[in-house]
Amino acid sequence: MSILSVTGLRKEYKNMTAVRGVDFSLPEGKCIALIGPNGAGKTTILRILAGLLKQTDGAVTFSGKETNADIRKFIGYLPQYPVFPSWMTAREFLLFSGEIAGLTKEEAARRAEDLAEQVGITNALDKRISDFSGGMKQRLGIAQAIIHSPQLLLLDEPVSSLDPIGRRDVLTLLERLKKEMTILFSTHILNDAEEVCDELLLLHDGEINEAGSMEALREKYQTSVIEVEFQENRQRY
Ligand code: ATP
């Protein structure tokens, strides 16, 4: 059963086509990786799914219904370069985000504590965000993105800019979170996807070249997907 389906999705910017009529669906309860090199159209697709950018053509349906502004209630989104109010503490930031998401003060306070524990920043909850490492910021960003308990979490390159420790912490967190929600995350590094994702969408120049379970793609190629699919563009990944 799929939580979200996309048909004929197309996005044209003023002078170029970034997404060229893609079709895919996201199976509920899975972690799906949207893999592609720089400029493939990953951010464009995620922003459309998050309801932040209007497609030129094509339909996005969520749980069988065409998406509208209400969709944001069910979707969490972490952009590639999130901007944090660095002067706030993590607790202040989560409280503020919770209230914006429609929680009462009490609910937001409880949720901030629960989420801090879930993403492993309990000890830093009252520290200023300016003192956070890159990995901690990313985990705080994920906490904020799921403050309203969404069914689908969209993450744009959540580990690409992190050092090995930060990357490991975020991937471990995603491994846990995927038991609670469907996750779509973009990356240009296959290894990141292989660690936590069950399904892959390989995007190249605005088109999906391959889609399916990690296992099925491996079987099809009898080797690592990257050996076949990315050979020509290896240096770009
Ligand atoms: P990256 O990993 O570099 O972020 P991406 O796969 O996320 O790449 P997009 O950011 O979606 O790709 O960009 C797809 C294409 O659309 C690129 O060629 C980019 O230059 C172009 N593009 C993105 N945003 C705009 C915009 N606002 N106006 C014009 N062109 C854009």
Side-chain angles (χ1 to χ4, degrees):
M1 171 118 156
S2 67
I3 190 165
L4 182 140
S5 296
V6 161
T7 44
L9 191 73
R10 196 175 165 78
K11 177 65 189 176
E12 285 170 17
Y13 292 113
K14 258 187 207 139
N15 50 1
M16 62 99 51
T17 305
V19 180
R20 301 166 187 276
V22 304
D23 302 313
F24 63 85
S25 54
L26 304 179
E28 194 164 4
K30 301 273 187 200
C31 177
I32 305 105
L34 180 62
I35 307 187
N38 291 339
K42 305 182 296 296
T43 297
T44 301
I45 290 177
L46 289 179
R47 284 177 56 80
I48 292 171
L49 301 189
L52 299 171
L53 188 65
K54 183 96 184 91
Q55 66 266 39
T56 310
D57 212 348
V60 181
T61 54
F62 185 83
S63 294
K65 294 196 189 101
E66 191 128 352
T67 53
N68 54 32
D70 270 0
I71 195 68
R72 296 200 199 153
K73 279 196 263 179
F74 306 105
I75 292 184
Y77 170 65
L78 181 65
Q80 186 171 4
Y81 304 109
V83 179
F84 295 96
S86 54
W87 63 93
M88 281 189 182
T89 65
R91 188 191 300 274
E92 287 166 345
F93 176 57
L94 290 175
L95 285 176
F96 168 74
S97 303
E99 287 187 51
I100 286 184
L103 305 182
T104 64
K105 262 196 170 63
E106 293 70 29
E107 285 168 343
R110 254 198 321 272
R111 187 85 179 122
E113 302 239 340
D114 289 351
L115 282 172
E117 195 177 333
Q118 206 172 353
V119 306
I121 57 164
T122 299
N123 293 339
L125 200 48
D126 292 307
K127 281 197 180 142
R128 276 187 207 284
I129 300 172
S130 53
D131 293 333
F132 275 37
S133 67
M136 285 166 76
K137 275 190 191 150
Q138 206 63 319
R139 283 181 281 135
L140 174 64
I142 292 172
Q144 185 212 16
I146 60 172
I147 198 134
H148 55 304
S149 310
Q151 295 170 30
L152 171 64
L153 175 60
L154 307 172
L155 303 169
D156 197 353
E157 305 241 12
V159 292
S160 301
S161 62
L162 300 180
D163 63 23
I165 294 173
R167 174 182 174 277
R168 166 94 345 263
D169 289 345
V170 170
L171 290 178
T172 306
L173 170 62
L174 295 185
E175 189 69 52
R176 283 204 307 272
L177 281 182
K178 77 176 189 183
K179 298 188 179 98
E180 294 168 33
M181 62 193 77
T182 308
I183 299 175
L184 174 65
F185 90 78
S186 77
T187 177
H188 56 276
I189 302 168
L190 186 79
N191 284 351
D192 294 342
E194 280 185 305
E195 287 196 34
V196 282
C197 286
D198 319 283
E199 304 264 335
L200 297 181
L201 296 167
L202 301 183
L203 187 70
H204 196 268
D205 202 13
E207 290 182 84
I208 304 258
N209 285 357
E210 284 281 1
S213 73
M214 191 79 75
E215 252 173 34
L217 288 178
R218 275 196 186 295
E219 218 161 86
K220 179 171 171 186
Y221 291 114
Q222 297 287 307
T223 178
S224 168
V225 177
I226 200 165
E227 294 302 327
V228 177
E229 183 61 34
F230 294 161
Q231 217 145 31
E232 284 171 23
N233 296 297
R234 180 178 290 282
Q235 64 280 32
R236 297 172 62 192
Y237 286 87

